[in-house]
Amino acid sequence: MTTTSISVGFIGAGMMASALMDGLVAKEVCAPSDLSCSDIWQPALDKAASNGISTFKSNEELLKSKQHTAIVLAVKPQIISQACQDVVAAASDDTLVVSIAAGVTLSTLQSLLPGKRIVRVMPNTPCLVGMAAAGFAVGDLCTDDDVGVIKQIFGAVGIGIQVQEKLLDAVTGLSGSGPAYVFQFIEALSDGGVRAGLPRDVATQLAAQTVKGAAEMVLATGKHPGLLKDGVTSPGGTTIAGVEALEKGGLRAATISAVTAATKRSMQLGGMSDADIANKHGL
């Protein structure tokens, strides 16, 4: 795995790209001079430039400006084809190409970028606060060093976990869509606090910090969430009464259904038929 400084260019300088650039600099994976970006939206370029990052109005200028370790395609799916044409025309042959365009498969990318080493990544919005949970799949030509580069990039804003591409729909259903489920749960916890007499601002702060703290305990201890839950639930106590209410309300089943429904929808948006989804994935 590579641990040396890397140079990364971003085609597209929107919120996700901006968060990645900020994280790479903050974690000292890259110096600002190692980063560059292109975009047609001047305010995005101005923000990057204010942080010492080289900016370009055209993709061609970006790609020819220096030898990049990786080029990140941070564009909407409908313009991925043009971005790939620019990469083919101007990027160095040994530049790793990383796509965060939703729903664009490795096979599509490989057809647009023949001979290129390609990685497809599914990030999520907590990337914006340095807490991303990203899944990624690598193309046939990628090396172990390429995997190391991806882990460096996304480790700067959270974690990046390698999976088979066929599992990226499940990643979408879990961590891609998951922040929305957690926001709903935090809102519901806050509502419960208000119902029990707490002021709204206090209830929301306590709810959000409780979720953040519980998540950190899972990650820091490596223990199964069920074991950690058991550590809070004393016999006949308040917590087990609340857990019973959650089970009666169907929280567990509803959450599982949310992940599988979002996974199925991701497959549908990727062009998979309902019959194939049912027969190949059981959804």
Side-chain angles (χ1 to χ4, degrees), residues 41-64:
W41 196 48
Q42 191 61 45
L45 297 181
D46 292 342
K47 180 182 184 301
S50 70
N51 293 323
I53 295 167
S54 299
T55 64
F56 302 89
K57 292 290 286 186
S58 79
N59 297 338
E60 182 180 5
E61 290 177 326
L62 164 72
L63 295 164
K64 291 183 175 180

Side-chain angles (χ1 to χ4, degrees), residues 110-170:
Q110 287 166 346
S111 69
L112 294 169
L113 299 161
K116 296 289 187 185
R117 302 183 338 274
I118 303 166
V119 181
R120 178 186 170 194
V121 185
M122 178 63 215
N124 65 358
T125 55
C127 174
L128 303 177
V129 292
M131 297 289 286
F136 68 91
V138 300
D140 295 338
L141 300 179
C142 285
T143 67
D144 289 344
D145 277 351
D146 294 331
V147 172
V149 168
I150 297 303
K151 289 185 176 180
Q152 276 188 283
I153 293 173
F154 287 90
V157 290
I159 59 171
I161 298 177
Q162 185 177 2
V163 298
Q164 297 177 18
E165 187 183 24
K166 66 181 181 181
L167 296 177
L168 282 180
D169 290 309

